Amino acid sequence: MASGGQIARLAIDGLAAGAVYALIALGYTLVYGVLRLVSLAHGEVFMLGAFGGLYAARAALPAGAAGAGPGVLACIGLVAAGTVAGGLAGAVAALGLERAAYRPLRRRGAPRLAYLVSAVGASMFAVSLAGKEFGRRDVPVPGLFTDQTVLRVAGAPVSAETLAVVTAALGLLLAADRLVAWSRLGRSIRAVAQDAECAVLLGVSLERVIVATFVLGGVLAGAGGFLYAMTFHASYTMGYVPGIKAFTAAVLGGLGNVRGALAGGLLLGLVESFGGYYLLDAGYQDVIAFAVLIAVLLLRPSGLLGARLGRPA
Amino acid sequence: MSGGPDEPASPPAGMPSVAERMAQLRAAGRPPDGWAGAAATTGTAAAVAAADTGNAGHGGDAEGVGDEAGPGRWWRRLGGCLVLAALAALVTGPSGNADRPLAGASGSLAGERGVLFLAAGLLAWAGLTGWPRLRGLLGRPAAYLTGVAAEWAEDVRDRSGSRGRRRPSLDDAASRRSRMIAEAQPQPAARVGPRPPGQRGESAHLVPPTDRTWAVRSNWVIWPAPPVPTEPSVPTEPPAPTSGRLAAGLAMGAAAGETGTPGRRRWYRRPWARGAGYALALGAAAGAPLVVSTTVRQVMVNDIGLYALLSLGLSIVVGRAGMLDLGCVAFCAIGAYTAAYLCAPGAMPWHAPVTVSPLVAMPAAMAAAALVGLALGAPLLRRHADLLAIVTLAFGGVVQLVANNADGITGGAGGVFGVPPPSVRIGGFHYAFGLDPLPYYYLLLGLVVLVMAALAGWDRSRAARACAALRQDEVAAGVLGVRAARMRLLAFTAGAAVAGLAGAVLATKQFFNPQTFSPQASMLVLTVVVAGGAGSRLGAVLGAVVLQGLAFLLRDHVPAADRFLYFGALVMIMTALRPRRLLPARLRLGGPSEGGP
């Protein structure tokens, strides 16, 4: 058994990963709530957002300061710039996805299968295009932080990078949760999720809600992409594994449930972190998410929190 | 409420009629956007058709290839064309790299190439926008001339019969009179109201008068228009069959899956013609490898034959059960590793206690893949059939990961060497497959024909009708005794079994490693199925031949890594153009069953 410090380190790693999963999972959950559709190309939105944030951070980083490490405020500014740029890129990608893959089908009243197939096509296209334009290698984000410990939690060191990732992700999640709960847009999203026909009759523009849902999911996923790339790296195939894990998180929390996606993401991150350390080889860490997915579908198909998006948040 | 929805049409004064409201919205330059979307969510084909006809005058989006552009909408179509042209330039242009990400884009969009694609985009726009007008312009003189000619011919005929001009007959006069009366009648129209309080005027949404339940639910009143003998609107899709027909099809066992519309049987649909066609195709397929080089034969086995078999398997799941399976290559991997486990003591670290012949291992591989499919599908398809796509996608990744990391069992990333080629020993006759791809080709051809025959049997079976009923209306099918989860599980397991068979053939043919079974390969199989038409047996095979053949022929012009750009675009375009053709004809899905997208 490991020491308390080890447990705290695993918990921090799990939370950092889980916060990013939750960011992506929110997009799945919102789109599923509104359209009853799993957006199979959501991982690619995440990937494109990562590239957008990465190049923005590269452009913003002063060339000489990379080695020395910029000051604290500059660091925060850089992370914010990268996150915003990632969110913007993700929003554009999600908008394009909705426009190209889903809207033509919606206008033709296509069966559900067509949406899935079209999304797979969009996913193939986006991955290959990113590979073609950005190269087919892993691209690291320029070192925004010299890897230093800023604080210790129960004896475990927390690097500035991890702190930035967790803070930014939790802030975004909170903002998204309040947006859905409080704003007029959030109300219309929930109304459509509850009963699309009735919402339309009451004056909600369905097209606008669908577009807004995709854009909201895209912003979150794109920002999450940049935060993920900060910890690891960006590559054209990066959307696949986090996309599936985030979907697992969404199912774990209850597909269509905003709070559920949040809780599911954090929980999945923790389970993976601890399970990967205590139960399995490091190489099999990705299997844990799949096992969780199957277990949830078997034991509690409605997820932990179960509720639909339409319920009052 | 002033009256229930069943009250006959006596609209309260002051309520705008649908036609008036449409005119207002049109004048405001804003289509009733809630309508089309809402109609799509209800899933009734009639509502969709109503929304389509309702919105037809508004031009809609740039993607709408067929519809006319309304005034003020030309720029949207122009933008769409230019974006598509830029995308096409990017796709065909040079690649960038991580350090200079814009190199590819600027190399694609600047210079001659950019001008060329800009011109192509403009040309496409001009063609799309101007063609209807151009057609009218060209058609007018022609119509004039034909009209003149017809009049002249009539005159000649009349004069030849009697003297002077022909007088209008009594029938002509009667029909003209009745037409005039009908035109003079005030057109009854559906009325909508009342508007909810606090509703802004511009965002009022119209309700297709076909769906009365909305009105009841939301306390709105729709005054249905009495049937007016107008010219029928042209439906974009044939109306969805009613559940009555569905019931009849199920109960009486009519061949609901394959047959087209009843009508005169063309000569090429007769049995002898079909038989001759099949024989000809089979002969061509059997003779083709004899006239090509060994390289092409290899391609015909590895890229075409195997993918034909895989896509036949996938077409059971996609085309017949209407589900999306993105893990078919994972089942292929299971079949391949099973064959390696059973046939070769030295191929993998883990092997069977007894070594069997590869031909015996093939059914075993099928069984293993089917078992895994059953285990994966059973928990999933009972309640969450709509999640099958992403779960199988995850499953594909997991299988690849395990095969890659389990060094002690599968041999890990190094792959599997030395699975013996099949050999036949019947009495004194002995034949062993070697390095030559030719016998593998015939083996695969035989298997493909076998699977096609089995699928033909499936398509005439009760299971096929049950699947068709499920695709069309799950609730109605359930009422008629179709067990949804069981039928889906059957189809999924059958698809997995065929993929496992393909895996066993792959194992005996060549070296393989975990990279062979990447999720991209699954997507390629899906592309083949979509390109060939998901419900079609021959389509799956032809799709493999055409797509993989093109990929082989164009291998010097298109980098292998860029293929998926074209495949992805092909899938999207084919789905967008003919979304309903993904499912086989006749008994097909009328729309998402419960408030779908």
Side-chain angles (χ1 to χ4, degrees):
Chain A
M1 271 293 125
S3 64
Q6 181 64 23
I7 290 176
R9 191 182 64 77
L10 288 175
I12 289 164
D13 283 355
L15 281 182
V20 174
Y21 296 157
L23 277 177
I24 316 170
L26 219 54
Y28 277 117
T29 244
L30 285 171
V31 170
Y32 189 84
V34 167
L35 288 179
R36 297 282 178 276
L37 173 78
V38 178
S39 180
L40 286 175
H42 196 55
E44 273 54 69
V45 173
F46 167 80
M47 178 266 294
L48 291 174
F51 276 105
L54 184 143
Y55 287 118
R58 257 192 201 178
L61 194 69
V72 177
L73 274 181
C75 271
I76 293 174
L78 278 175
V79 172
T83 312
V84 168
L88 277 181
V92 170
L95 207 62
L97 170 72
E98 196 273 333
R99 211 40 219 257
Y102 294 135
R103 192 179 292 184
L105 299 181
R106 215 162 47 239
R107 294 183 66 235
R108 288 169 173 78
R112 186 192 297 277
L113 177 67
Y115 288 80
L116 296 173
V117 171
S118 176
V120 172
S123 167
M124 280 155 69
F125 187 82
V127 168
S128 317
L129 192 64
K132 188 179 166 71
E133 297 303 324
F134 305 138
R136 292 184 168 83
R137 280 181 296 125
D138 297 344
V139 190
V141 171
L144 302 181
F145 299 97
T146 47
D147 204 8
Q148 54 192 352
T149 307
V150 281
L151 76 159
R152 289 182 170 274
V153 176
V158 179
S159 71
E161 215 168 56
T162 314
L163 191 68
V165 167
V166 171
T167 316
L170 287 183
L172 276 170
L173 285 169
L174 206 67
D177 181 53
R178 288 302 94 194
L179 183 78
V180 173
W182 286 344
S183 74
R184 190 182 161 83
L185 173 69
R187 199 157 63 233
S188 48
I189 288 178
R190 280 181 290 131
V192 169
Q194 204 169 29
D195 187 334
E197 297 148 32
C198 219
V200 165
L201 284 180
L202 293 173
V204 175
S205 164
L206 191 65
E207 282 295 314
R208 211 173 287 169
V209 165
I210 289 171
V211 168
T213 309
F214 270 96
V215 167
L216 184 56
V219 166
L220 295 174
F226 174 71
L227 297 177
Y228 184 88
M230 261 173 65
T231 354
F232 300 101
H233 50 75
S235 83
Y236 73 112
T237 50
M238 71 184 282
Y240 175 58
V241 172
I244 283 174
K245 286 183 182 170
F247 173 75
T248 305
V251 170
L252 180 62
L255 205 49
N257 183 332
V258 173
R259 291 278 172 80
L262 219 161
L266 295 179
L267 188 63
L268 182 70
L270 289 177
V271 166
E272 227 182 40
S273 171
F274 282 98
Y277 185 77
Y278 288 113
L279 296 179
L280 290 172
D281 284 355
Y284 292 107
Q285 204 184 21
D286 292 348
V287 179
I288 293 175
F290 184 70
V292 169
L293 178 61
I294 294 295
V296 172
L297 289 175
L298 256 182
L299 302 176
R300 198 179 160 79
S302 57
L304 292 181
L305 301 188
R308 288 280 190 215
L309 186 60
R311 301 263 175 82
Chain B
M1 279 290 104
S2 56
D6 290 335
E7 194 170 307
S10 59
M15 288 298 152
S17 76
V18 171
E20 286 161 15
R21 191 69 199 130
M22 292 289 288
Q24 285 171 18
L25 287 169
R26 200 171 300 182
R30 188 167 164 281
D33 47 3
W35 194 357
T41 60
T42 64
T44 57
V48 172
D52 276 354
T53 49
N55 276 345
H58 294 283
D61 299 319
E63 285 98 347
V65 178
D67 51 10
E68 308 262 327
R73 296 277 171 186
W74 59 269
W75 52 271
R76 298 188 70 165
R77 179 168 286 175
L78 178 62
C81 282
L82 290 185
V83 166
L84 283 183
L87 265 183
L90 273 184
V91 164
T92 54
S95 313
N97 62 37
D99 299 323
R100 291 167 56 236
L102 296 178
S106 58
S108 307
L109 297 179
E112 289 173 14
R113 170 179 286 276
V115 174
L116 197 69
F117 276 92
L118 181 72
L122 284 176
L123 206 65
W125 171 73
L128 280 177
T129 311
W131 173 241
R133 252 163 250 171
L134 197 66
R135 198 173 46 190
L137 220 60
L138 289 180
R140 203 167 290 161
Y144 178 73
L145 286 179
T146 50
V148 166
E151 246 174 41
W152 179 76
E154 200 166 324
D155 276 4
V156 167
R157 199 171 59 237
D158 286 347
R159 286 208 190 100
S160 66
S162 62
R163 290 184 167 275
R165 283 186 61 83
R166 190 175 73 109
R167 287 188 165 177
S169 72
L170 202 61
D171 285 350
D172 285 348
S175 72
R176 188 184 301 167
R177 178 169 170 274
S178 61
R179 200 168 61 237
M180 284 172 69
I181 290 175
E183 278 168 4
Q185 293 293 321
Q187 294 286 324
R191 300 240 159 207
V192 188
R195 190 177 298 167
Q199 168 101 48
R200 280 173 302 149
E202 57 160 8
S203 63
H205 293 290
L206 301 172
V207 184
T210 46
D211 198 345
R212 300 276 290 275
T213 54
W214 296 7
V216 175
R217 261 207 206 155
S218 61
N219 293 334
W220 274 47
V221 181
I222 297 172
W223 309 93
V228 184
T230 52
E231 56 205 300
S233 60
V234 184
T236 48
E237 294 281 336
T242 59
S243 19
R245 204 154 110 208
L246 176 67
L250 270 182
M252 296 168 56
E258 268 292 300
T259 53
T261 49
R264 208 162 64 80
R265 267 177 92 185
R266 307 272 175 191
W267 64 268
Y268 52 80
R269 288 203 179 278
R270 309 225 164 186
W272 60 265
R274 292 196 146 201
Y278 281 133
L280 212 63
L282 203 60
L290 300 175
V291 295
V292 294
S293 66
T294 312
T295 321
V296 182
R297 282 181 195 167
Q298 290 284 8
V299 170
M300 286 170 84
V301 173
N302 292 344
D303 291 345
I304 297 180
L306 278 173
Y307 274 92
L309 201 53
L310 278 171
S311 44
L312 276 174
L314 188 64
S315 80
I316 304 177
V317 185
V318 175
R320 287 170 177 78
M323 303 181 295
L324 186 55
D325 172 9
L326 293 173
C328 64
V329 169
F331 294 113
C332 180
I334 288 165
Y337 279 105
T338 307
Y341 169 76
L342 288 174
C343 310
M348 291 199 306
W350 191 54
H351 57 82
V354 287
T355 308
V356 301
S357 152
L359 288 179
V360 179
M362 281 176 193
M366 279 179 84
L371 271 180
V372 175
L374 204 64
L376 180 69
L380 195 63
L381 294 173
R382 196 167 302 283
R383 283 197 55 183
H384 275 298
D386 54 336
L387 303 187
L388 184 74
I390 192 159
V391 173
T392 48
L393 186 66
F395 177 68
V398 165
V399 166
Q400 200 190 3
L401 184 82
V402 169
N404 207 20
N405 285 337
D407 292 337
I409 298 174
T410 63
V416 177
F417 283 102
V419 178
S423 56
V424 183
R425 187 189 294 276
I426 303 168
F429 174 75
H430 180 251
Y431 180 77
F433 289 34
L435 290 175
D436 186 18
L438 207 57
Y440 289 98
Y441 178 80
Y442 289 116
L443 175 68
L444 273 172
L445 184 64
L447 288 176
V448 163
V449 169
L450 206 65
V451 172
M452 280 174 75
L455 279 185
W458 168 289
D459 283 339
R460 275 192 288 274
S461 71
R462 188 174 165 81
R465 291 194 299 278
C467 278
L470 267 183
R471 290 197 308 267
Q472 192 193 338
D473 188 335
E474 195 172 331
V475 175
V479 167
L480 294 168
V482 175
R483 299 195 205 182
R486 186 174 288 197
M487 291 324 298
R488 291 199 178 114
L489 196 56
L490 181 66
F492 184 62
T493 311
V498 175
L501 177 65
V505 176
L506 173 89
T508 59
K509 167 74 178 70
Q510 61 179 37
F511 152 78
F512 63 92
N513 64 11
Q515 290 309 312
T516 316
F517 308 110
S518 67
Q520 283 223 321
S522 284
M523 295 188 180
L524 178 55
V525 178
L526 178 71
T527 309
V528 168
V529 169
V530 170
S536 158
R537 297 184 294 272
L538 204 58
V541 178
L542 285 183
V545 172
V546 170
L547 278 190
Q548 294 284 57
L550 272 180
F552 175 72
L553 290 179
L554 298 176
R555 65 194 181 284
D556 293 334
H557 304 283
V558 179
D562 285 354
R563 268 177 209 170
F564 279 83
L565 274 171
Y566 299 97
F567 288 151
L570 177 75
V571 167
M572 283 172 76
I573 291 170
M574 295 225 26
T575 323
L577 287 187
R578 301 161 77 197
R580 279 154 199 274
R581 296 299 296 176
L582 276 176
L583 299 171
R586 193 57 181 273
L587 271 183
R588 63 189 172 208
L589 200 62
S593 50
E594 85 285 2

